[in-house]
Amino acid sequence: MAMLTRRDGKALFAAWLGYLMDGFDFVLITLVLTEVADDFGLSMVTAATLVSAAFISRWFGGLALGAVGDRFGRKPAMILSILLYSLGSLACGLSWGYWPMFAARLLLGLGMAGEYAASATYVIESWPARARNRASALLISGYAVGSIIAGQLYRFVVPAWGWRAMFFLGVIPIALALWMRRGLKESDDWQQATGARSGRGGDGGSGAQEGRRKGGVAEPRRDFITLLYRGRLAPLNLAATAVVAVSLFLLFTERAGGFVQPLVALTAAGFVLFTAQFAGRRTPMMVTLMVTVFCAFLYSWPIQALLPTYLKEDLHFSPGTVSDVLFFAGFGNVLGCVLVGFLGDRWGTQRTYVLSLCVSVVFVLPVFAMDSGQTAGLALLLFFQQMFAQGISGLLPKLIGGYFLTSERAAGLGFTYNVGSLGGAVAPVLGASLAGGRSLGPSLAWLTFALTFVVIILIAVNAPLRVQRLAGGRETAPEGDLTERPAARTGTGSAATGPATGPATGPATGPATGSAATDSGAAGPGSPHPAP
């Protein structure tokens, strides 16, 4: 077992605290959705778009703040993200109608995207390679703890001071988080990669793979923002950004009319355009990874976003009872994150993910078969359902990060995850629409049940890697989990023991083909036995 240091604990706690506040701020809208709908005179479907609004802006937040993390360091990106989502929470509390609230949620989404990308990358890269599933999972548990705290405060704050007070509370801990992050050092992997690129030291072997080569000298790789908006395709990318933004706005504010399919196609085309410039020949892999994350949000967010509404509207629970039930659900989520972190380091990321989801489907349908007189049973079932279905999300940063080199990981993870998170924007609107004014229970149950099986299949077959190889990109497919290669503190050294066998063919062509790992002996990112 990897030995952990005091610095490892400080890195985790600082990032965990920020992610706790992120979870607190983000879930507030789900708790007060019915109060906001009543106050602003909104239908439940329209109110659900306020949940979706934060997801609409997340793709750009992941791109932009991920670029900050790759270019300037993980720590500046974390600080900027926490400022953005705290200001977004304050703006939600000051909103006087639907559109101001919608705009505030967009701002909050930008910050949350950056928080996920920067904090997850920072913690994973700061911990020893053999403990990085634990690092990933323990970090994500902060989101669940934030949700629990929000749920418990709801029962006291809203009846006494109204829903706005909940959002004002979201800015209180900002000073503590910034203080904790002021004394942090950068992640080992990021310092190693940037030092090698600039000739300041680090592992010469792995560093050679982190940049493009020109005249035999490694150059820093351009960040995502520079790549898209300062190159020769900048006008096209600026136009595509505007098209994607407008399309998402129309889609998630019920203004698409009969143009839903064309707008979806335009949005998807824009994301593929950006991905192709970032990933180069690894585009099939990255797009498939986005689809996997999208489906993961579709199975998890019907419950995450609409469970409080279901408990209040369908089961007629009081605010206190809602808080109690959500406490058990959130506590299950926290314990699930801790459990899968240890199991992931023992069994492997991919195997743990699949097994946990297989267990979770057992509890989905019974959860929504409970009535208002079975509160204890409902809380117990939600505890286990969230432990195995939502707790496993703790491994998602580790799973996604394993497909990207250190120099591109924050932007790659941030963009991939937050484009996929649009499934979270679709989920509450889809769940409310399928219910059609009737009980939410059946639509939430079947959405969760069906999409969980889709995610199980995609992860079990390692779809991103399989699609990359089927598309003819076998030589650019990662031969193992790339987060486990820079293992400077484990005593094993870097996985890449020599320079790349030739110059890179683009900004992101994948790991060097001269790696010690053979194609037949590597199961890909998330494998329980990654290439040495």
Side-chain angles (χ1 to χ4, degrees):
M1 181 175 292
M3 297 296 294
L4 302 178
T5 66
R6 182 177 180 180
R7 179 188 168 190
D8 296 330
K10 183 178 180 181
L12 175 66
F13 181 67
W16 181 87
L17 186 62
Y19 211 59
L20 179 151
M21 291 185 291
D22 188 4
F24 180 90
D25 285 346
F26 194 77
V27 303
L28 291 182
I29 189 65
T30 69
L31 293 168
V32 300
L33 196 60
T34 54
E35 288 86 354
V36 170
D38 291 341
D39 202 5
F40 293 163
L42 307 174
S43 70
M44 191 48 60
V45 173
T46 301
T49 64
L50 293 173
V51 179
S52 303
F55 288 96
I56 294 173
S57 59
R58 280 176 59 162
W59 71 272
F60 189 78
L63 184 160
L65 292 174
V68 171
D70 285 335
R71 182 164 185 172
F72 300 106
R74 314 313 192 196
K75 190 171 73 168
M78 288 194 295
I79 293 173
L80 181 56
S81 66
I82 196 171
L83 288 172
L84 284 174
Y85 72 69
S86 295
L87 290 174
S89 181
L90 176 63
C92 284
L94 296 174
S95 298
W96 61 90
Y98 173 79
W99 289 113
M101 175 75 81
F102 193 92
R105 292 284 296 168
L106 292 175
L107 180 62
L108 192 145
L110 287 173
M112 183 179 186
E115 177 68 20
Y116 189 96
S119 291
T121 306
Y122 177 78
V123 171
I124 290 170
E125 293 177 351
S126 297
W127 275 42
R130 294 180 182 177
R132 289 181 174 181
N133 282 292
R134 262 175 290 165
S136 174
L138 290 172
L139 170 67
I140 302 304
S141 73
Y143 182 94
V145 174
S147 301
I148 292 173
I149 294 173
Q152 291 304 300
L153 287 175
Y154 169 81
R155 69 192 302 172
F156 302 109
V157 173
V158 173
W161 295 292
W163 61 266
R164 295 179 187 275
M166 289 291 291
F167 289 106
F168 295 148
L169 290 174
V171 301
I172 292 176
I174 186 173
L176 178 60
L178 294 176
W179 177 80
M180 284 296 298
R181 289 182 177 186
R182 184 179 60 181
L184 294 180
K185 295 182 179 179
E186 275 297 343
S187 74
D188 291 339
D189 290 2
W190 187 83
Q191 292 188 73
Q192 202 173 20
T194 53
R197 288 202 302 269
S198 60
R200 293 194 304 270
D203 188 333
S206 61
Q209 297 182 51
E210 294 289 353
R212 294 171 293 164
R213 301 177 71 83
K214 183 176 181 180
V217 179
E219 290 185 307
R221 185 183 185 278
R222 290 187 298 168
D223 63 79
F224 210 163
I225 289 291
T226 302
L227 188 69
L228 292 184
Y229 303 116
R230 296 182 184 176
R232 60 186 179 85
L233 295 179
L236 174 62
N237 291 326
L238 287 169
T241 299
V243 169
V244 169
V246 172
S247 297
L248 289 173
F249 174 79
L250 294 174
L251 286 168
F252 292 110
T253 56
E254 303 174 282
R255 284 166 169 76
F259 298 97
V260 171
Q261 292 182 353
L263 290 173
V264 170
L266 285 172
T267 302
F271 289 147
V272 172
L273 173 67
F274 301 148
T275 301
Q277 294 171 73
F278 179 78
R281 289 188 292 161
R282 292 181 298 147
T283 298
M285 180 186 72
M286 191 167 170
V287 169
T288 308
L289 192 56
M290 291 176 188
V291 172
T292 303
V293 177
F294 184 87
C295 292
F297 270 85
L298 274 183
Y299 91 70
S300 65
W301 264 85
I303 292 180
Q304 294 298 304
L306 294 177
L307 180 61
T309 300
Y310 170 73
L311 297 176
K312 288 185 283 186
E313 296 292 316
D314 290 17
L315 300 186
H316 308 292
F317 285 170
S318 67
T321 304
V322 170
S323 292
D324 290 338
V325 173
L326 293 179
F327 171 81
F328 280 97
F331 189 51
N333 189 348
V334 173
L335 290 186
C337 284
V338 175
L339 176 64
V340 301
F342 283 91
L343 293 180
D345 284 332
R346 184 177 181 85
W347 294 346
T349 313
Q350 182 180 337
R351 183 183 300 170
T352 304
Y353 217 115
V354 170
L355 290 175
S356 183
L357 289 184
C358 286
V359 174
S360 75
V361 295
V362 175
F363 300 99
V364 175
L365 297 182
V367 162
F368 293 99
M370 294 283 145
D371 58 35
S372 58
Q374 298 172 301
T375 307
L378 174 62
L380 185 63
L381 287 171
L382 275 171
F383 173 87
F384 286 110
Q385 192 273 333
Q386 289 290 285
M387 173 183 283
F388 293 104
Q390 195 62 25
I392 195 61
S393 65
L395 296 188
L396 199 53
K398 175 66 162 54
L399 183 75
I400 299 171
Y403 292 91
F404 297 101
L405 296 167
T406 304
S407 60
E408 62 186 15
R409 185 168 294 136
L413 189 156
F415 186 67
T416 298
Y417 176 84
N418 288 294
V419 169
S421 76
L422 285 169
V426 173
V429 177
L430 182 59
S433 298
L434 289 177
R438 298 183 296 273
S439 174
L440 279 171
S443 64
L444 299 185
W446 288 110
L447 270 177
T448 302
F449 190 80
L451 269 299
T452 300
F453 278 106
V454 173
V455 177
I456 287 172
I457 293 170
L458 290 172
I459 294 179
V461 303
N462 201 340
L465 194 64
R466 189 174 295 271
V467 168
Q468 179 67 21
R469 291 174 174 174
L470 289 174
R474 198 174 189 86
E475 74 283 358
T476 60
E479 296 171 327
D481 187 331
L482 297 180
T483 64
E484 297 187 10
R485 295 195 177 200
R489 290 190 297 155
T490 63
T492 59
S494 173
T497 57
T501 56
T505 58
T509 57
T513 56
S515 171
T518 61
D519 188 54
S520 60
S527 167
H529 303 290

